[in-house]
Amino acid sequence: MCSTSPTAARLKVTPFLDLVLAWNVGISFGWFQSDSQATQIILMIIKAVAVIVLAIWMARSRTLIATVALGLIIGGAIGNAIDRFAYGAVVDFALFTSRSGARPSIGTYLTLPTSRLFAGVAALLYDSFLGVPAAKAH
């Protein structure tokens, strides 16, 4: 999924959260791992198109929650793009794990930009399903 140096410092914060420096050359949850420059360029183009589409959606948004949610998603995508452009990978820092004994058995990495993406998607889903119905009628 994400690559970490064997000598990377690991700070145990809770039984299920470690802070550790890792590099993700794929997309969310390490999908489509590739060090290829062509793959990185394709991912950047897809991300740029997505940001443009989301910005248009945000400009037409009728609710504050949707506008903020789309801003969070766009900010997360741009943050990941900056990491990918500057480092060739997204910098991951938090490892959430399920521990069995002393070793993590499963886990997922998290970044600040990815946290924004997740929060934005959650807020957008909330607004879509539970938001004010009157605002959607216009």
Side-chain angles (χ1 to χ4, degrees):
M1 301 260 276
C2 296
S3 62
T4 60
S5 165
T7 60
R10 190 177 285 251
L11 175 62
K12 184 177 175 182
V13 179
T14 69
F16 57 86
L17 172 65
D18 294 344
L19 295 180
V20 60
L21 177 62
W23 300 93
N24 184 353
V25 294
I27 60 172
S28 296
F29 306 110
W31 295 348
F32 307 115
Q33 292 286 314
S34 175
D35 288 329
S36 154
Q37 186 174 10
T39 302
Q40 297 301 318
I41 290 170
I42 290 168
L43 288 174
M44 293 287 282
I45 291 169
I46 291 169
K47 195 168 290 195
V49 170
V51 166
I52 291 167
V53 170
L54 291 170
I56 292 168
W57 183 6
M58 188 170 91
R60 296 178 178 177
S61 174
R62 300 204 183 272
T63 67
L64 179 61
I65 293 174
T67 302
V68 170
L70 290 163
L72 286 168
I73 295 168
I74 291 168
I78 290 171
N80 280 343
I82 290 169
D83 274 358
R84 194 169 302 284
F85 181 75
Y87 307 113
V90 176
V91 179
D92 291 333
F93 66 88
L95 174 60
F96 288 92
T97 60
S98 169
R99 292 188 184 274
S100 59
R103 295 187 52 131
S105 55
I106 59 171
T108 185
Y109 286 90
L110 184 67
T111 67
L112 197 54
T114 303
S115 302
R116 289 184 192 120
L117 284 165
F118 178 80
V121 169
L124 199 55
L125 287 171
Y126 172 84
D127 187 59
S128 295
F129 293 110
L130 303 172
V132 179
K136 295 177 189 165
H138 294 113

Tab-separated table of all heavy atoms in Angstrom, residues 15-39:
chain	number	residue	atom	x	y	z
A	15	PRO	N	-3.683	2.896	21.103
A	15	PRO	CA	-3.559	1.496	20.678
A	15	PRO	C	-3.888	1.276	19.197
A	15	PRO	O	-3.499	0.273	18.621
A	15	PRO	CB	-4.569	0.758	21.562
A	15	PRO	CG	-4.688	1.605	22.773
A	15	PRO	CD	-4.542	3.025	22.293
A	16	PHE	N	-4.607	2.217	18.567
A	16	PHE	CA	-4.982	2.034	17.165
A	16	PHE	C	-4.426	3.100	16.230
A	16	PHE	O	-4.708	3.087	15.044
A	16	PHE	CB	-6.512	1.996	17.025
A	16	PHE	CG	-7.186	3.230	17.565
A	16	PHE	CD1	-7.352	4.349	16.773
A	16	PHE	CD2	-7.643	3.260	18.868
A	16	PHE	CE1	-7.959	5.488	17.263
A	16	PHE	CE2	-8.250	4.394	19.373
A	16	PHE	CZ	-8.411	5.509	18.568
A	17	LEU	N	-3.599	4.032	16.747
A	17	LEU	CA	-3.072	5.106	15.907
A	17	LEU	C	-1.583	5.291	16.139
A	17	LEU	O	-1.142	5.506	17.261
A	17	LEU	CB	-3.798	6.423	16.199
A	17	LEU	CG	-3.225	7.682	15.538
A	17	LEU	CD1	-3.347	7.604	14.024
A	17	LEU	CD2	-3.923	8.926	16.057
A	18	ASP	N	-0.814	5.174	15.046
A	18	ASP	CA	0.614	5.475	15.061
A	18	ASP	C	0.848	6.621	14.089
A	18	ASP	O	0.192	6.718	13.055
A	18	ASP	CB	1.439	4.278	14.573
A	18	ASP	CG	1.363	3.082	15.497
A	18	ASP	OD1	0.937	3.241	16.659
A	18	ASP	OD2	1.725	1.986	15.050
A	19	LEU	N	1.798	7.490	14.400
A	19	LEU	CA	2.240	8.499	13.451
A	19	LEU	C	3.528	7.984	12.827
A	19	LEU	O	4.469	7.636	13.533
A	19	LEU	CB	2.482	9.842	14.137
A	19	LEU	CG	1.251	10.519	14.724
A	19	LEU	CD1	1.634	11.845	15.370
A	19	LEU	CD2	0.177	10.732	13.681
A	20	VAL	N	3.549	7.913	11.492
A	20	VAL	CA	4.706	7.385	10.782
A	20	VAL	C	4.745	8.024	9.396
A	20	VAL	O	3.708	8.261	8.787
A	20	VAL	CB	4.645	5.841	10.685
A	20	VAL	CG1	3.415	5.383	9.948
A	20	VAL	CG2	5.885	5.263	10.058
A	21	LEU	N	5.934	8.327	8.917
A	21	LEU	CA	6.077	8.900	7.591
A	21	LEU	C	6.023	7.793	6.547
A	21	LEU	O	6.759	6.814	6.625
A	21	LEU	CB	7.409	9.653	7.471
A	21	LEU	CG	7.707	10.254	6.097
A	21	LEU	CD1	6.669	11.303	5.720
A	21	LEU	CD2	9.098	10.854	6.074
A	22	ALA	N	5.128	7.940	5.574
A	22	ALA	CA	4.991	6.965	4.495
A	22	ALA	C	4.717	7.714	3.197
A	22	ALA	O	4.265	8.852	3.210
A	22	ALA	CB	3.861	5.990	4.799
A	23	TRP	N	4.999	7.062	2.078
A	23	TRP	CA	4.807	7.658	0.757
A	23	TRP	C	3.826	6.812	-0.032
A	23	TRP	O	4.022	5.615	-0.179
A	23	TRP	CB	6.136	7.734	0.004
A	23	TRP	CG	7.134	8.551	0.745
A	23	TRP	CD1	8.076	8.094	1.630
A	23	TRP	CD2	7.284	9.966	0.704
A	23	TRP	NE1	8.800	9.143	2.126
A	23	TRP	CE2	8.331	10.308	1.569
A	23	TRP	CE3	6.630	10.981	0.009
A	23	TRP	CZ2	8.741	11.621	1.761
A	23	TRP	CZ3	7.041	12.284	0.203
A	23	TRP	CH2	8.087	12.592	1.074
A	24	ASN	N	2.801	7.434	-0.569
A	24	ASN	CA	1.795	6.732	-1.361
A	24	ASN	C	1.903	7.198	-2.806
A	24	ASN	O	1.590	8.347	-3.116
A	24	ASN	CB	0.401	7.034	-0.802
A	24	ASN	CG	-0.692	6.285	-1.505
A	24	ASN	OD1	-0.465	5.616	-2.508
A	24	ASN	ND2	-1.898	6.390	-0.979
A	25	VAL	N	2.351	6.317	-3.695
A	25	VAL	CA	2.478	6.680	-5.105
A	25	VAL	C	1.213	6.330	-5.888
A	25	VAL	O	1.126	6.610	-7.079
A	25	VAL	CB	3.709	6.016	-5.768
A	25	VAL	CG1	4.984	6.549	-5.159
A	25	VAL	CG2	3.638	4.510	-5.663
A	26	GLY	N	0.235	5.742	-5.218
A	26	GLY	CA	-1.030	5.411	-5.870
A	26	GLY	C	-2.075	6.454	-5.540
A	26	GLY	O	-1.772	7.616	-5.304
A	27	ILE	N	-3.340	6.006	-5.521
A	27	ILE	CA	-4.420	6.897	-5.129
A	27	ILE	C	-4.950	6.408	-3.793
A	27	ILE	O	-4.263	5.673	-3.096
A	27	ILE	CB	-5.521	6.972	-6.211
A	27	ILE	CG1	-6.139	5.612	-6.484
A	27	ILE	CG2	-4.975	7.571	-7.490
A	27	ILE	CD1	-7.353	5.655	-7.395
A	28	SER	N	-6.153	6.762	-3.430
A	28	SER	CA	-6.711	6.427	-2.129
A	28	SER	C	-6.473	4.970	-1.756
A	28	SER	O	-6.672	4.070	-2.573
A	28	SER	CB	-8.215	6.702	-2.124
A	28	SER	OG	-8.455	8.064	-2.302
A	29	PHE	N	-6.069	4.771	-0.518
A	29	PHE	CA	-5.810	3.452	0.050
A	29	PHE	C	-4.758	2.672	-0.732
A	29	PHE	O	-4.726	1.452	-0.704
A	29	PHE	CB	-7.105	2.639	0.152
A	29	PHE	CG	-8.183	3.365	0.904
A	29	PHE	CD1	-9.301	3.839	0.241
A	29	PHE	CD2	-8.053	3.609	2.261
A	29	PHE	CE1	-10.290	4.528	0.918
A	29	PHE	CE2	-9.030	4.306	2.953
A	29	PHE	CZ	-10.147	4.763	2.283
A	30	GLY	N	-3.889	3.377	-1.449
A	30	GLY	CA	-2.790	2.739	-2.154
A	30	GLY	C	-3.173	2.062	-3.447
A	30	GLY	O	-2.381	1.314	-4.012
A	31	TRP	N	-4.379	2.299	-3.961
A	31	TRP	CA	-4.772	1.697	-5.235
A	31	TRP	C	-3.922	2.247	-6.355
A	31	TRP	O	-3.470	3.376	-6.324
A	31	TRP	CB	-6.228	1.986	-5.542
A	31	TRP	CG	-7.225	1.375	-4.598
A	31	TRP	CD1	-6.984	0.420	-3.645
A	31	TRP	CD2	-8.598	1.696	-4.493
A	31	TRP	NE1	-8.135	0.127	-2.971
A	31	TRP	CE2	-9.149	0.895	-3.472
A	31	TRP	CE3	-9.428	2.574	-5.170
A	31	TRP	CZ2	-10.482	0.950	-3.114
A	31	TRP	CZ3	-10.758	2.624	-4.813
A	31	TRP	CH2	-11.272	1.814	-3.795
A	32	PHE	N	-3.708	1.460	-7.390
A	32	PHE	CA	-2.978	1.849	-8.598
A	32	PHE	C	-1.556	2.323	-8.295
A	32	PHE	O	-1.110	3.342	-8.797
A	32	PHE	CB	-3.739	2.916	-9.397
A	32	PHE	CG	-5.153	2.536	-9.715
A	32	PHE	CD1	-6.216	3.233	-9.191
A	32	PHE	CD2	-5.419	1.437	-10.529
A	32	PHE	CE1	-7.529	2.875	-9.474
A	32	PHE	CE2	-6.727	1.075	-10.821
A	32	PHE	CZ	-7.785	1.796	-10.291
A	33	GLN	N	-0.849	1.568	-7.475
A	33	GLN	CA	0.536	1.892	-7.129
A	33	GLN	C	1.417	1.864	-8.372
A	33	GLN	O	1.410	0.884	-9.113
A	33	GLN	CB	1.081	0.890	-6.115
A	33	GLN	CG	0.453	0.977	-4.751
A	33	GLN	CD	0.930	2.176	-3.977
A	33	GLN	OE1	2.114	2.448	-3.930
A	33	GLN	NE2	0.009	2.906	-3.394
A	34	SER	N	2.147	2.936	-8.601
A	34	SER	CA	3.065	2.975	-9.733
A	34	SER	C	4.047	4.123	-9.552
A	34	SER	O	3.649	5.234	-9.237
A	34	SER	CB	2.296	3.163	-11.043
A	34	SER	OG	3.203	3.306	-12.111
A	35	ASP	N	5.326	3.828	-9.781
A	35	ASP	CA	6.350	4.865	-9.750
A	35	ASP	C	6.525	5.506	-11.118
A	35	ASP	O	7.295	6.434	-11.278
A	35	ASP	CB	7.693	4.284	-9.287
A	35	ASP	CG	7.684	3.945	-7.809
A	35	ASP	OD1	6.984	4.623	-7.050
A	35	ASP	OD2	8.386	2.993	-7.421
A	36	SER	N	5.807	5.006	-12.118
A	36	SER	CA	5.939	5.482	-13.488
A	36	SER	C	5.537	6.953	-13.606
A	36	SER	O	4.502	7.368	-13.087
A	36	SER	CB	5.058	4.626	-14.397
A	36	SER	OG	4.671	5.328	-15.549
A	37	GLN	N	6.353	7.721	-14.298
A	37	GLN	CA	6.049	9.133	-14.484
A	37	GLN	C	4.771	9.296	-15.308
A	37	GLN	O	3.971	10.191	-15.053
A	37	GLN	CB	7.213	9.862	-15.156
A	37	GLN	CG	6.984	11.353	-15.230
A	37	GLN	CD	8.188	12.101	-15.761
A	37	GLN	OE1	9.136	11.507	-16.253
A	37	GLN	NE2	8.148	13.408	-15.671
A	38	ALA	N	4.545	8.420	-16.283
A	38	ALA	CA	3.331	8.491	-17.104
A	38	ALA	C	2.083	8.311	-16.234
A	38	ALA	O	1.101	9.039	-16.392
A	38	ALA	CB	3.371	7.440	-18.203
A	39	THR	N	2.121	7.356	-15.301
A	39	THR	CA	0.989	7.132	-14.404
A	39	THR	C	0.757	8.355	-13.531
A	39	THR	O	-0.383	8.767	-13.319
A	39	THR	CB	1.222	5.891	-13.529
A	39	THR	OG1	1.421	4.760	-14.379
A	39	THR	CG2	0.059	5.635	-12.600
